[in-house]
Amino acid sequence: SSNVINIDYIAVDGTQDIAMPLALTTNAGGGRRTLDISLDYTDWVATQAYSAKQTVSVNVQDTPLSDRPQIVLTGYRTDPAQPAPGEPFTLTYSLSNVGGGEARRLISALGGDNGAALKPFAPFNSGNVKFVPTLKAGDTVDVVQQLVTDAASDSGAFNLPVALAYDDTRDQRRTDQQVMSLIVRRLPLLRVSFNPAVTDAFVGQP
């Protein structure tokens, strides 16, 4: 249907009820929304044209959690537990759907969508993006990623963001970013030296 409605006339002090079906876009979100209404009309003898604009407010209820997915990073581990600089390691992290709807086309990207926040880590034998076709409400999936630590990095705890994107049951694309913290420990380097230096040594002589 059209967004234009024609009315023949409205009597003095008269009222006209208008019904128009509307639909919200899938990504509208909840809250108070305003809708502008343009009015164009003439006087009784159609000699003078007038224009006006009025605004009405509409309260939009957001999709409840019971009807949509919610992905949460619930745990992670590395093997070895504390990777050293220059050493490849395996990162396994768990994503749980704590909402009430199925998540579809779930994409998880380490270091953000473009991987810019991966340092001092780098993907090893694969990219930084993993794909999960579906994740039902209440289910958990383990994502396994091979990484390597920069050989020049120091010991410490490093934040590693995980960018999440998925479709809900209404095909609305939802995005989120969560953070894990990985510990890197540089192994000590030992050097043995003799002082004073040994120049000559004889059998049986200390």
Side-chain angles (χ1 to χ4, degrees):
S1 63
S2 172
N3 65 331
V4 177
I5 295 179
N6 294 316
I7 302 174
D8 290 337
Y9 69 94
I10 300 177
V12 177
D13 294 330
T15 301
Q16 177 70 47
D17 291 332
I18 299 174
M20 175 176 289
L22 299 173
L24 284 169
T25 58
T26 56
N27 59 352
R32 181 176 293 273
R33 305 291 175 176
T34 59
L35 180 64
D36 293 331
I37 300 176
S38 298
L39 303 173
D40 296 305
Y41 56 95
T42 64
D43 57 17
W44 178 255
V45 293
T47 58
Q48 182 66 43
Y50 302 89
S51 295
K53 179 180 289 187
Q54 297 188 23
T55 301
V56 296
S57 296
V58 179
N59 286 322
V60 177
Q61 183 177 359
D62 197 6
T63 304
L65 187 61
S66 60
D67 188 41
R68 63 180 174 85
Q70 180 67 51
I71 307 301
V72 175
L73 175 66
T74 53
Y76 54 91
R77 63 185 183 275
T78 61
D79 184 20
Q82 295 180 349
E87 179 183 48
F89 65 96
T90 300
L91 169 66
T92 302
Y93 58 98
S94 301
L95 299 176
S96 299
N97 185 355
V98 299
E102 183 180 67
R104 304 167 184 167
R105 297 177 57 246
L106 169 61
I107 292 178
S108 113
L110 290 180
D113 292 330
N114 57 2
L118 262 173
K119 291 183 178 180
F121 309 105
F124 186 70
N125 291 333
S126 67
N128 70 313
V129 176
K130 296 295 184 180
F131 175 75
V132 179
T134 58
L135 187 61
K136 294 181 179 180
D139 283 359
T140 299
V141 63
D142 286 339
V143 182
V144 180
Q145 177 77 58
Q146 301 292 325
L147 299 173
V148 63
T149 310
D150 188 350
S153 63
D154 294 326
S155 298
F158 298 90
N159 288 335
L160 181 59
V162 182
L164 303 173
Y166 53 93
D167 294 338
D168 62 14
T169 54
R170 301 183 182 182
D171 291 330
Q172 178 180 346
R173 195 66 173 167
R174 297 183 177 274
T175 59
D176 190 14
Q177 181 164 290
Q178 301 180 33
V179 177
M180 65 182 80
S181 182
L182 303 184
I183 296 177
V184 175
R185 177 159 296 178
R186 178 179 288 276
L187 298 177
L189 298 177
L190 300 179
R191 185 179 63 181
V192 178
S193 59
F194 296 95
N195 188 22
V198 177
T199 57
D200 297 317
F202 301 94
V203 177
Q205 180 180 348

